[in-house]
Amino acid sequence: MIVRILEDGQYEVDKQAEKDLSDLDATLGKALDAGDAAAFDASLAELVELVHATGKRLEADDLRPSDLAIPAAGSTLAEVKALLGSDTATKD
Amino acid sequence: MLTLQASRGDKADSVYRQVVDDGDERRVKRKREQAMSVLKRLSSVVQAKANKALDRVEDPRDTLDLSYEKQLEQLQQVRKGVADVATARKRIELQATQLKASADKLQEQAKAALGQNNEDLAREALTRRAAIATQLEGLKTQHDQLVSQEEKLVATNQQLELRVASFRTQKETLKASYTAAQAQTKIGEAVAGISESMSDTGLAMQRAQDKIDQMQARAGAMDELLSSGALTDLTGNSDPIQAELDKAGQSGRVDAELAQLKGQVSAPPAGEIAQASEEPTDAEVVSDAASGATSEAAASGDPFSLDDASSGQ
């Protein structure tokens, strides 16, 4: 699976990392819904770390699109909410 | 996709039901999206943003060219973005330099005030210096943020440049082999992949722009503060600390002159005064200018007020 960390780049991750990503994704979603900035910051940092540690960076000539996108490291809860909000706004 | 009610006759009622159901459906849809993976939603945001412009192109080969055009446009925008961030950063650096100079000056003023035994004045100078220190900390935070935005933007841009170069090569290959059945899928994938990179770069630029906007609002306020003299302009009329130091300096000078005049009255050799000004004693350290002013004042014949002497000339 290919994962993009925004403002960073694309990484290919293996099955085990996919599972961990999915768990952290859920934690991030809960923090986002609850507006819990501390929990959000923590799980975002973990996500970025996980991909950096286990992923293999895509070469520049590899133009495949990603399956998942992780917010840029250090993004705030409000920034990510706004980003996701722009999704629903354009779709309606 | 709607409703049992709609098929049931009464038009007004069905329209009403439809509105209600639309609302319900949207609510349900939103709930479903919330339950969905954040990272998948974010991924679709990133891809949707860039694909929009390419949606209407019918021939995939045109998509390749259009996408490439857009990539070049964006590379130019990113370069401009990097320059904008650098400009904003330099503005902050300039302000910090000004503030630092003010802080140093206040420190000197505090020392001078203590030299005049005016502790209150020294305290005020140091209080203002502390306020500047707080402002400087704020500036440092902004500066750090801009530096990191700049670095990210430069890195993102470098990656995009590499990918655009590679897209350009692949574009021609894909066009040449377009008749092959799988080419269309490959074109779609290549375009989607690079569009995602462009979209990501676009987001990075937006973030940098947001930071610049925030910074500029604060920098504007800081410029006003600086030009009002509340923090700097220490030698200007609006600086009460310098005014009081000057006043104290003046009265010190007056006292010194008074003492010398008293000396002249009792034993008046003019040469001694000139000698004293060449070799200042401890009492005269208060101000070097005092001795000069003294001989001037003595010459003008009005020893009691410097102001009177100057207005008389």
Side-chain angles (χ1 to χ4, degrees):
Chain A
M1 184 163 74
I2 298 173
V3 179
R4 174 183 290 277
I5 302 176
L6 295 180
E7 297 180 25
D8 178 337
Q10 287 172 290
Y11 298 82
E12 189 148 28
V13 296
D14 61 17
K15 286 272 173 223
Q16 177 53 41
E18 271 180 45
K19 166 88 182 59
D20 296 339
L21 272 176
S22 167
D23 292 345
L24 281 170
D25 189 0
T27 317
L28 190 77
K30 270 182 208 154
L32 198 68
D33 288 341
D36 185 343
F40 177 88
D41 292 348
S43 46
L44 176 56
E46 265 189 79
L47 273 167
V48 172
E49 208 179 293
L50 174 69
V51 174
H52 279 166
T54 62
K56 185 174 163 287
R57 207 180 167 95
L58 242 56
E59 297 293 332
D61 62 353
D62 192 336
L63 296 177
R64 283 177 295 167
S66 316
D67 301 288
L68 296 177
I70 295 175
S75 302
T76 64
L77 189 144
E79 281 171 336
V80 173
K81 260 203 167 145
L83 209 53
L84 292 171
S86 72
D87 173 35
T88 44
T90 50
K91 274 186 180 167
D92 273 357
Chain B
M1 58 177 165
L2 299 170
T3 80
L4 292 174
Q5 300 274 343
S7 62
R8 239 195 239 172
D10 184 17
K11 207 177 170 193
D13 181 53
S14 84
V15 168
Y16 169 75
R17 284 300 313 160
Q18 195 165 333
V19 168
V20 170
D21 286 355
D22 272 356
D24 283 349
E25 194 171 283
R26 215 169 291 154
R27 228 168 290 138
V28 169
K29 185 179 150 213
R30 201 165 300 151
K31 247 191 181 158
R32 212 182 300 132
E33 279 179 352
Q34 274 172 3
M36 214 173 103
S37 150
V38 175
L39 306 186
K40 271 194 185 123
R41 278 162 67 201
L42 197 56
S43 176
S44 67
V45 170
V46 173
Q47 282 163 10
K49 269 186 196 296
N51 283 334
K52 242 187 192 173
L54 304 171
D55 272 355
R56 293 180 192 282
V57 185
E58 303 224 332
D59 187 331
R61 283 171 293 185
D62 294 343
T63 312
L64 287 170
D65 289 330
L66 183 60
S67 174
Y68 184 62
E69 255 174 58
K70 298 237 166 252
Q71 292 159 31
L72 295 183
E73 268 173 38
Q74 190 173 20
L75 281 177
Q76 268 190 333
Q77 282 173 0
V78 176
R79 274 179 216 125
K80 190 183 167 297
V82 170
D84 286 349
V85 182
T87 307
R89 173 177 54 77
K90 280 175 196 154
R91 185 175 177 191
I92 286 194
E93 283 164 5
L94 192 71
Q95 284 186 334
T97 310
Q98 280 177 285
L99 282 177
K100 178 88 174 37
S102 301
D104 290 348
K105 183 135 197 183
L106 282 165
Q107 175 87 7
E108 287 308 309
Q109 286 180 322
K111 262 188 213 161
L114 274 185
Q116 291 174 358
N117 269 335
N118 190 341
E119 201 178 318
D120 286 346
L121 193 60
R123 188 181 298 279
E124 195 183 328
L126 290 179
T127 307
R128 283 172 68 174
R129 193 169 178 276
I132 288 182
T134 311
Q135 299 278 4
L136 271 174
E137 274 167 31
L139 279 186
K140 187 178 183 312
T141 311
Q142 285 185 52
H143 186 256
D144 290 351
Q145 282 178 353
L146 282 176
V147 166
S148 106
Q149 289 298 323
E150 198 178 342
E151 281 168 358
K152 268 189 194 163
L153 213 49
V154 168
T156 319
N157 189 39
Q158 278 169 353
Q159 275 187 51
L160 188 62
E161 270 173 0
L162 285 173
R163 302 200 84 195
V164 166
S166 141
F167 181 88
R168 184 164 164 251
T169 319
Q170 293 187 29
K171 174 168 84 88
E172 296 312 319
T173 316
L174 284 169
K175 268 172 148 183
S177 63
Y178 179 59
T179 42
Q182 62 179 130
Q184 191 158 347
T185 326
K186 277 200 166 176
I187 287 178
E189 204 172 61
V191 169
I194 194 112
S195 295
E196 193 189 300
S197 292
M198 287 165 65
S199 175
D200 183 18
T201 312
L203 287 171
M205 288 209 297
Q206 201 178 316
R207 242 161 85 90
Q209 190 57 52
D210 287 351
K211 285 280 181 300
I212 292 177
D213 290 348
Q214 282 172 21
M215 188 288 296
Q216 269 167 349
R218 281 189 220 142
M222 176 70 75
D223 277 343
E224 266 176 41
L225 212 56
L226 285 169
S227 65
S228 76
L231 293 175
T232 52
D233 199 19
L234 295 166
T235 48
N237 298 330
S238 59
D239 178 19
I241 294 179
Q242 192 60 48
E244 202 162 327
L245 281 173
D246 289 347
K247 212 171 96 187
Q250 268 172 19
S251 70
R253 238 173 276 156
V254 171
D255 288 345
E257 284 158 19
L258 203 59
Q260 283 182 338
L261 277 173
K262 278 180 185 163
Q264 273 182 22
V265 170
S266 57
E272 262 179 34
I273 294 169
Q275 240 178 5
S277 69
E278 279 161 21
E279 299 166 10
T281 63
D282 280 356
E284 285 167 325
V285 162
V286 178
S287 167
D288 288 343
S291 51
T294 303
S295 37
E296 223 177 66
S300 78
D302 186 357
F304 295 105
S305 166
L306 271 177
D307 287 341
D308 283 355
S310 60
S311 67
Q313 281 168 351

